[in-house]
Amino acid sequence: MKVFINGHVYLERHSFTEAFVVEGNKIIKTGTNESCMQTAIQKSEYTVVDLKGKTVLPGFIDSHLHFLMTSDYLSLLPISDVTSMAELIKRCQDYIKENTLTNQDILYTEGWNHTAFTDEKRMPDRWDLDTISKEVPVVLTRVDRHVMSLNTAALEYFNISEGTKTRLNGEIKRDTRDRLTGILTEGAVDLVKAKMPKKSRKKIKEQLVDTMYRANKVGLTSVHTNDAKDENIEETLSLYKELEKEGRLTLRFYQQIWFNNDTYLPDFFNKKHFFREGTHWNKIGPIKFFIDGTLGSRTAALREPYADDEGNLGMLTKTEETLYKGVKQALDNGYQVITHAIGDRGIETVLNAYDNALGERPNKLRLGINHMQITDHDLIERTKKKNYLTYVQPIFLNDDIPIISERIGSKRAKTSYLFKTILDSGIHQSLSSDAPIASFNPFYTIQCAVTRNRLNDSGSANEPYLPEEALDIYEAIDAYTYEGAYASFEETEKGRIKEGYLADFVILDQDIFTCEHTEIKNIRVDATYVDGKCVYKLGGVHEK
């Protein structure tokens, strides 16, 4: 048994206490120092942890990311911070030279964002990448993972030619002279992914363990991960099962089962899996679909053309009828559904499919929409009517603020990323990172949610984007804790520091409720506890 005393312990909005007691993997009491010590001394053995005034929050729950992809991403050449085409090219050139890569190797990495380039705000193409190397296959994936750029050697390596067809929705881009540009979008990127050399199972598991430590370090205790996909579902799920069996999980996982190709759906259901199968550490969650692309790559499906790309309405990755059939199959098998939708046409298509699949039934399986970015008030009202969940990523504002009005025009920009409106309408809204698209550090996301600004922008020279849509600090924290638990049907088990709940909590080095909002990104975690055990400790807490 452990007694945590002298803390600033967050219970719920405007409600704090100073102490709590953990026995086994549960919180068994919250209250005053005196009352919690009275509970402890009834036991023959207990430990006292003096919090020394530190702030304690429930463990953070990231309701949508790609954990396996993130573990792989963290092993790659970092390019997410490059600010020009020239810098991107030089960094890759240097990497090839330093690592003596040959035509038997592949330089693959992720994270470029052409909207942040200061020299040329365009996507890198095969001719740009040919200046990196004409011999080594080079594959560079955009930050949103919906676009890839390949050099000529990579096109040849992956057998992509003028006659190549994409299996799913997507495009192999050509220039005005009908030449392959080396740019692949949406489903076309699978032409590369399917043929990438695979790492050993041991290496993948070690990367997962390392990434769990990194997640614990920033206060994450649970994640909803979107990794198990199409033909790789069973293989991916088995990785997490093995790590649990080996006692190596320090995060709780809720598996979002990803179907780009709906032909794999019947096979998954025939495997006799069932919704929420598993343990408190690892369980099967919702079926995950995609309906469109992203704003940065101009593939999010819009009702009206992009303001900076005449005639381009983005892309629906499947028809409304196909999505409806997939959702219906999931519901008939008792599964929750979450669907990626960024553009207003994409969101409308999802709402139509959901409404038709549910009919007059209530939304008991908590179907939800991931991203919910380019909206209007009618779409939000329709979302509220059926109590659909929303999963949003305020951290996206860090990249998107400079391009929102440019991409979609000022009118649509005024009704987009409406996090406060969504919350005030009564919709359940959880916060997430979509890592590796963005960092899974919760403090980055929370800062963007409460400031409506980029992480490093402050002052009158950088006005916040729709400041009236900022969440307050309590709303942001609840959306990163309680609402994440609600999205996995676990709101009576975790997401609060509350008697009877799982002992998942974090101790901070400063008070998130009183610090300057622009300093939230600098908060560090002193300790993270999962299942009553300390899985990360920096300092600042003392046991005796």
Side-chain angles (χ1 to χ4, degrees):
M1 176 180 287
K2 288 187 177 181
V3 191
F4 295 80
I5 61 172
N6 297 324
H8 184 228
V9 183
Y10 179 61
L11 301 177
E12 58 186 5
R13 187 177 186 86
H14 298 306
S15 180
F16 296 83
T17 193
E18 61 182 352
F20 59 101
V21 182
V22 172
E23 185 172 36
N25 69 342
K26 296 287 182 70
I27 297 166
I28 64 168
K29 185 172 179 59
T30 62
T32 64
N33 289 336
E34 182 180 5
S35 66
C36 288
M37 286 301 299
Q38 283 296 323
T39 297
I41 60 178
Q42 296 174 25
K43 302 286 184 178
S44 58
E45 293 185 10
Y46 62 89
T47 302
V48 177
V49 181
D50 186 352
L51 295 165
K52 296 191 173 182
K54 298 286 186 179
T55 296
V56 183
L57 302 179
F60 291 115
I61 301 171
D62 193 314
S63 63
H64 177 72
L65 50 60
H66 307 268
F67 200 79
L68 182 60
M69 292 181 196
T70 302
S71 71
D72 194 43
Y73 171 81
L74 292 171
S75 71
L76 302 175
L77 167 68
I79 59 169
S80 61
D81 60 334
V82 299
T83 58
S84 68
M85 184 80 75
E87 183 184 2
L88 176 66
I89 290 169
K90 185 176 188 307
R91 189 171 299 189
C92 292
Q93 289 172 334
D94 291 346
Y95 183 85
I96 288 175
K97 183 177 181 180
E98 291 165 5
N99 292 274
T100 60
L101 299 188
T102 71
N103 59 4
Q104 300 301 307
D105 302 301
I106 300 173
L107 170 53
Y108 175 86
T109 191
E110 305 173 4
W112 59 266
N113 182 0
H114 64 293
T115 67
F117 289 174
T118 55
D119 50 1
E120 301 179 77
K121 291 187 183 295
R122 61 176 178 81
M123 296 184 184
D125 57 31
R126 67 187 290 187
W127 298 286
D128 297 310
L129 272 56
D130 281 349
T131 66
I132 296 173
S133 177
K134 288 184 169 59
E135 292 79 32
V136 177
V138 177
V139 181
L140 306 182
T141 299
R142 193 180 186 277
V143 62
D144 56 14
R145 303 186 106 244
H146 288 247
V147 177
M148 278 182 179
S149 298
L150 285 69
N151 69 348
T152 300
L155 288 171
E156 293 171 355
Y157 181 93
F158 292 102
N159 295 318
I160 298 172
S161 63
E162 283 78 0
T164 302
K165 303 293 183 184
T166 58
R167 185 179 57 164
L168 300 168
N169 287 315
E171 186 178 0
I172 302 171
K173 292 278 191 180
R174 296 170 181 263
D175 65 9
T176 55
R177 294 164 58 184
D178 206 35
R179 298 176 299 176
L180 297 184
T181 65
I183 296 174
L184 313 181
T185 70
E186 302 303 330
V189 303
D190 287 340
L191 294 169
V192 173
K193 289 180 180 178
K195 296 179 181 178
M196 284 291 294
K198 293 186 181 296
K199 295 182 179 179
S200 72
R201 192 173 184 84
K202 180 180 179 181
K203 178 65 174 178
I204 293 170
K205 287 167 66 177
E206 291 303 322
Q207 287 183 178
L208 284 169
V209 170
D210 176 69
T211 307
M212 280 187 268
Y213 175 79
R214 295 175 186 236
N216 294 148
K217 185 177 181 179
V218 294
L220 286 169
T221 58
S222 295
V223 297
H224 299 199
T225 187
N226 183 201
D227 296 316
K229 175 185 175 185
D230 291 342
E231 69 272 24
N232 295 319
I233 289 172
E234 298 302 322
E235 180 183 356
T236 302
L237 292 177
S238 69
L239 289 167
Y240 293 94
K241 288 179 181 178
E242 283 183 18
L243 288 170
E244 180 181 11
K245 187 176 181 180
E246 294 164 5
R248 302 174 75 188
L249 294 187
T250 60
L251 272 179
R252 304 187 193 277
F253 291 92
Y254 188 62
Q255 303 284 347
Q256 297 174 341
I257 312 299
W258 178 0
F259 291 93
N260 266 3
N261 188 337
D262 292 357
T263 60
Y264 291 101
L265 268 171
D267 181 59
F268 175 74
F269 295 133
N270 289 337
K271 296 284 188 184
K272 304 301 181 184
H273 289 299
F274 57 90
F275 178 50
R276 303 192 70 228
E277 165 193 342
T279 68
H280 282 307
W281 283 104
N282 180 40
K283 65 181 63 174
I284 289 178
I287 302 300
K288 169 72 185 301
F289 297 118
F290 280 75
I291 196 61
D292 67 355
T294 68
L295 184 69
S297 58
R298 297 187 186 89
T299 54
L302 302 182
R303 290 162 166 169
E304 297 178 6
Y306 281 85
D308 61 351
D309 191 1
E310 185 178 351
N312 181 12
L313 292 168
M315 177 186 296
L316 287 177
T317 57
K318 58 183 67 181
T319 66
E320 183 181 313
E321 178 65 18
T322 300
L323 179 61
Y324 159 77
K325 289 178 179 177
V327 173
K328 185 70 164 54
Q329 282 188 71
L331 292 176
D332 289 347
N333 283 273
Y335 275 82
Q336 182 183 26
V337 178
I338 172 177
T339 304
H340 166 118
I342 287 180
D344 49 12
R345 181 164 59 110
I347 294 167
E348 182 176 46
T349 302
V350 172
L351 290 171
N352 291 343
Y354 282 3
D355 287 352
N356 290 335
L358 282 172
E360 298 301 316
R361 293 175 292 174
N363 182 25
K364 289 185 177 180
L365 284 169
R366 300 182 183 176
L367 279 63
I369 300 174
N370 189 33
H371 303 310
M372 196 79 179
Q373 285 173 223
I374 313 306
T375 56
D376 60 27
H377 292 285
D378 288 341
L379 291 173
I380 292 172
E381 183 57 35
R382 284 189 64 187
T383 303
K384 166 58 182 170
K385 186 176 180 180
K386 278 285 193 178
N387 295 315
Y388 296 128
L389 278 57
T390 59
Y391 304 70
V392 300
Q393 298 77 29
I395 186 62
F396 284 7
L397 293 173
N398 194 53
D399 284 332
D400 290 354
I401 281 177
I403 67 167
I404 294 170
S405 293
E406 174 186 309
R407 281 283 188 276
I408 59 176
S410 59
K411 181 179 178 181
R412 282 179 293 191
K414 291 176 182 176
T415 61
S416 296
Y417 304 77
L418 299 183
F419 307 140
K420 181 68 170 175
T421 297
I422 290 171
L423 184 68
D424 287 349
S425 70
I427 294 170
H428 281 281
Q429 175 177 250
S430 58
L431 299 189
S432 57
S433 65
D434 204 10
I437 310 307
S439 167
F440 57 37
N441 187 324
F443 302 106
Y444 295 173
T445 293
I446 290 172
Q447 178 167 318
C448 289
V450 299
T451 64
R452 297 289 296 189
N453 216 330
R454 306 181 76 196
L455 288 173
N456 295 316
D457 284 353
S458 61
S460 58
N462 297 287
E463 293 297 328
Y465 166 61
L466 300 183
E468 66 276 12
E469 291 297 326
L471 304 183
D472 68 34
I473 191 62
Y474 297 101
E475 291 166 338
I477 289 171
D478 285 353
Y480 231 130
T481 53
Y482 173 82
E483 290 294 345
Y486 184 89
S488 59
F489 294 82
E490 295 173 298
E491 71 275 14
T492 61
E493 303 168 28
K494 64 184 182 182
R496 295 282 191 208
I497 295 176
K498 190 172 181 178
E499 293 174 9
Y501 279 48
L502 291 167
D504 298 353
F505 56 92
V506 296
I507 303 167
L508 309 184
D509 75 336
Q510 58 181 296
D511 188 356
I512 194 171
F513 297 97
T514 59
C515 76
E516 291 291 332
H517 284 170
T518 53
E519 294 300 315
I520 290 174
K521 66 179 181 290
N522 297 321
I523 292 176
R524 293 191 300 174
V525 171
D526 272 351
T528 300
Y529 285 76
V530 181
D531 218 44
K533 298 176 182 177
C534 185
V535 295
Y536 170 78
K537 186 175 182 180
L538 174 66
V541 292
H542 305 277
E543 298 183 7
K544 58 184 178 181

